[in-house]
Amino acid sequence: MGKAASASQRPEAEGAEAQGPAGGGVPRHVAIIMDGNGRWAKARGLPRAAGHRQGAEAARKVLRAAGEAGVECLTLYAFSSENWRRPEDEINDLMGLLRLYIARELGALHKEGIRIKILGDHGVFSPETARMVDEAVAKTANNQRMTLAIALNYGSRLELVKAAQTLAARAATGEIAPSDIDEAALEASLDTADLPPLDLLIRTSGEHRLSNFLLWQAAYAELLFVDTLWPDFDGDALRAALRAFAGRERRFGGR
């Protein structure tokens, strides 16, 4: 597991330049559990919606920094299947923010060659929200410079269950034999099938758990837990995380 890093432990605090990692290479696929919006707002006497709005701004900064560093895919945990337990007004704020983000950023994302991919089932959202998401995915489908994968109504356990059901149904019809079901077959049935292998998973706000996010994909990913609340996470913070990744030796169980 990754060692928690406070702001004082970040390379910037030691006088290092804010630039991409050297030596160990850039991770192809970075995923982030964007945690701490509520606590950020509470500490400032603001409503939780203000934290979510600032969190959307952080996502914009991090996406730009990831692209500049050469990351092929950035996956953001935007709305989990467990988030439905939150108060209705907060859920409405989050959905409104998602629509605003798409309306405001889609043109720029498309112009910059960024493909939008959705993990999870966004079809349960309101018709307007689902339509906007579908249009964003369709508009950017052929872009190749970078992928922004957004996890919406996503839960990793359910993803694995659905993959198992898909393979079981294919086996039941004789399309495949049960013995054909291996790791590669399961992986090909996941929402992330067309994404690069996950290299680095970051969680902000000081929490040290995966919260049902990319459980299969994180098997050999490097994990990095940082104390910074998500609204305060920016391009410099991402570059620090990339340098931390570059300094790690990845063994994949080999020794």
Side-chain angles (χ1 to χ4, degrees), residues 230-244:
W230 174 247
D232 291 327
F233 199 88
D234 56 14
D236 285 346
L238 179 71
R239 285 184 280 270
L242 297 183
R243 284 196 293 276

Side-chain angles (χ1 to χ4, degrees), residues 18 83 98 209 235 253:
N83 284 158
L98 174 62
R209 57 182 178 272

Side-chain angles (χ1 to χ4, degrees), residues 71-242:
V71 173
E72 294 179 29
C73 177
L74 177 69
T75 297
L76 301 177
Y77 203 6
F79 190 88
S80 78
S81 53
E82 288 81 18
N83 284 158
W84 293 109
R85 303 170 186 168
R86 296 187 177 186
E88 184 177 356
D89 59 345
E90 183 177 355
I91 293 174
N92 291 336
D93 286 339
L94 286 168
M95 294 299 104
L97 185 60
L98 174 62
R99 293 191 296 271
L100 177 62
Y101 183 87
I102 293 174
R104 187 180 67 181
E105 301 291 337
L106 180 57
L109 293 175
H110 183 48
K111 184 177 180 180
E112 293 169 11
I114 296 175
R115 176 178 73 115
I116 296 175
K117 178 180 176 61
I118 303 300
L119 311 182
D121 179 15
H122 68 283
V124 300
F125 295 158
S126 70
E128 180 186 5
T129 301
R131 175 185 57 78
M132 291 184 71
V133 172
D134 287 337
E135 290 176 353
V137 170
K139 184 180 181 69
T140 63
N142 295 322
N143 293 341
Q144 298 181 8
R145 186 175 75 84
M146 183 183 180
T147 296
L148 171 62
I150 307 174
L152 294 172
N153 191 32
Y154 172 87
S156 188
R157 288 179 175 178
L158 181 57
E159 177 190 28
L160 289 166
V161 167
K162 288 183 175 180
Q165 290 173 340
T166 296
L167 293 171
R170 293 177 62 195
T173 60
E175 181 181 349
I176 60 174
S179 58
D180 293 332
I181 300 175
D182 55 12
E183 289 188 14
L186 181 60
E187 194 163 270
S189 301
L190 298 176
D191 294 354
T192 54
D194 63 338
L195 299 181
L198 180 60
D199 292 314
L200 174 63
L201 191 153
I202 303 166
R203 181 170 187 149
T204 61
S205 87
E207 301 293 344
H208 294 189
R209 57 182 178 272
L210 297 183
S211 295
N212 199 20
F213 183 53
L214 300 180
L215 301 180
W216 174 281
Q217 297 86 343
Y220 279 104
E222 295 295 314
L223 307 183
L224 183 65
F225 302 105
V226 298
D227 293 337
T228 309
L229 299 176
W230 174 247
D232 291 327
F233 199 88
D234 56 14
D236 285 346
L238 179 71
R239 285 184 280 270
L242 297 183

